[in-house]
Amino acid sequence: MEEKEQIESTTESIEAIEEKDSIIVINPFKDIEKLKALASEPRLEILALLKKQALNINEIAEKLELPQSTVATHISILENSGLIETNSIKARKGTQKLCYPAFQNGLLIKFPEEEAETENCVEIEMPLGIYTDSRVTAPCGLCSSEKIIGQLDVPGSFLNPDRMKAGLLWCNNGYVEYKFPNNTMYDERKLTKLEVSAELSSETPGTNAEWPSDITIWINRTEIGTWTSPGDFGDRRGQFTPKWWKLEGSQYGLLKHFSVTDEGSFVDGEKISDVKLDDLKINEHHSIRVRLGVKENAEHMGGMNIFGRGFGDHDQGIILRAYY
């Protein structure tokens, strides 16, 4: 009877591990205890063991050939830092502590992005589904953090009113366009940079990390330039991707920053064209139109995923920043 109960408890713990499919993002300025816990070869070895299966302290000590007391100390540090979780289960003699990681896919150490000085930057975030124009070809689709919107591979679904809830959209080629209010018209300061940020990846049935796609951005119908996405990423679940979304689907993208200044256009600081701020004729329009898409004649026509809130690694929509 005890043995049966132990098996049931162990099964529950294993199921708990399988349900953990997010990564832990470590802020090195705030998560000092996590960094300290990782600064130990035995503790890293323990984490590597627990990624494969849940183990108790005796089993870990045996596999690493370490004293049980030493392993217990390491387990306490890892547990207190939030890197592992434990569960007491019935054993033949009393109880035993079963250990498993507090994450399923991995750890990510990420330095926080510098916050733009509010007096020099005006930021507007547009939800992913609030595009004002679109033209896409199948395979294509949208989904919210709860369900698929409309029908898969039916371009008409991009007109579905529920698109306003979209957290992920994808297409083979075509575009979506967003219309932002032009606050620069009412600001007497000189505009020095216009920046658009979005989480993007290629799109292919299933996923393929080596599937290049040329994703182009236009501002006020002027082509700014093209960034080539290296692939469609599905090696792990995105940090914010909901659990119901199948693991075989696109999981996350890369956060890209497209900017236009008086010196040209850039993606993540690398120049992609000679288009300058004056070419956008910002002051002639009451809105700023931002279009993202894959051209029909693109050299690498590998589709496009755009990740919004509730999906991917960056919980954001399409962000427009004006720097003065």
Side-chain angles (χ1 to χ4, degrees):
M1 186 68 176
E2 287 183 358
E3 193 169 320
K4 180 181 178 182
E5 290 176 347
Q6 181 176 350
I7 291 173
E8 290 176 348
S9 298
T10 303
T11 301
E12 290 174 0
S13 298
I14 291 172
E15 289 175 350
I17 298 172
E18 291 176 346
E19 289 177 358
K20 294 179 180 299
D21 42 26
S22 62
I23 62 174
I24 289 181
V25 178
I26 297 176
N27 181 330
F29 296 110
K30 296 181 179 180
D31 301 322
I32 301 297
E33 294 307 314
K34 286 185 173 62
L35 290 179
K36 288 180 180 178
L38 291 171
S40 162
E41 186 172 346
R43 290 197 284 274
L44 291 175
E45 291 175 345
I46 290 173
L47 288 174
L49 283 176
L50 297 181
K51 278 288 291 175
K52 299 175 184 177
Q53 64 180 127
L55 298 169
N56 61 41
I57 291 176
N58 290 338
E59 291 169 331
I60 296 171
E62 182 178 340
K63 289 179 179 293
L64 296 182
E65 298 181 352
L66 291 173
Q68 183 180 342
S69 59
T70 301
V71 170
T73 299
H74 287 311
I75 290 297
S76 177
I77 293 172
L78 289 169
E79 186 176 12
N80 290 335
S81 70
L83 292 175
I84 70 167
E85 296 177 5
T86 61
N87 186 21
S88 294
I89 64 173
K90 292 182 179 180
R92 291 179 179 177
K93 295 182 180 180
T95 61
Q96 64 177 358
K97 181 179 283 189
L98 196 67
C99 310
Y100 51 92
F103 55 91
Q104 178 65 14
N105 293 316
L107 300 167
L108 174 65
I109 297 177
K110 180 182 178 183
F111 285 87
E113 297 179 11
E114 293 184 8
E115 296 184 2
E117 295 182 7
T118 55
E119 67 269 21
N120 293 325
C121 175
V122 176
E123 177 180 298
I124 303 173
E125 179 177 350
M126 190 68 67
L128 195 64
I130 311 299
Y131 45 81
T132 53
D133 189 17
S134 68
R135 190 192 70 204
V136 299
T137 62
C140 60
L142 312 93
C143 60
S144 69
S145 59
E146 299 175 348
K147 63 180 182 179
I148 299 290
I149 296 172
Q151 296 177 296
L152 294 177
D153 300 333
V154 176
S157 293
F158 277 64
L159 299 175
N160 191 307
D162 284 342
R163 66 186 175 86
M164 296 170 55
K165 303 175 184 177
L168 171 65
L169 66 81
W170 65 94
C171 65
N172 181 49
N173 67 60
Y175 64 83
V176 286
E177 184 174 275
Y178 300 85
K179 187 181 289 187
F180 290 82
N182 185 6
N183 295 326
T184 66
M185 294 187 70
Y186 313 104
D187 200 309
E188 296 180 355
R189 295 173 295 178
K190 175 178 170 54
L191 181 68
T192 58
K193 181 170 73 171
L194 202 64
E195 179 183 276
V196 176
S197 73
E199 184 175 352
L200 307 167
S201 79
S202 309
E203 162 57 21
T204 184
T207 62
N208 188 338
E210 298 181 1
W211 186 262
S213 184
D214 295 337
I215 298 176
T216 300
I217 181 171
W218 294 260
I219 297 180
N220 286 349
R221 305 290 170 86
T222 299
E223 184 176 328
I224 300 306
T226 297
W227 167 69
T228 301
S229 169
D232 184 359
F233 307 109
D235 56 305
R236 59 168 175 80
R237 190 175 293 280
Q239 182 184 352
F240 298 99
T241 301
K243 292 180 180 180
W244 68 266
W245 180 247
K246 60 184 180 179
L247 283 171
E248 294 78 14
S250 306
Q251 294 296 319
Y252 63 94
L254 300 176
L255 186 63
K256 308 308 293 181
H257 296 83
F258 301 89
S259 61
V260 184
T261 70
D262 291 331
E263 298 178 354
S265 297
F266 306 81
V267 57
D268 296 337
E270 182 177 344
K271 193 169 186 178
I272 53 175
S273 78
D274 291 323
V275 175
K276 300 176 176 61
L277 278 173
D278 286 345
D279 299 321
L280 304 182
K281 304 186 185 319
I282 298 293
N283 291 328
E284 296 181 12
H285 307 277
H286 288 279
S287 63
I288 298 175
R289 300 188 180 196
V290 175
R291 177 181 293 188
L292 293 163
V294 177
K295 297 190 290 187
E296 293 180 355
N297 61 349
E299 180 180 353
H300 303 103
M301 195 170 68
M304 173 179 69
N305 276 286
I306 308 180
F307 298 83
R309 287 198 174 273
F311 274 85
D313 279 351
H314 305 274
D315 199 26
Q316 68 162 68
I318 310 298
I319 294 179
L320 177 70
R321 297 185 182 96
Y323 292 88
Y324 299 91

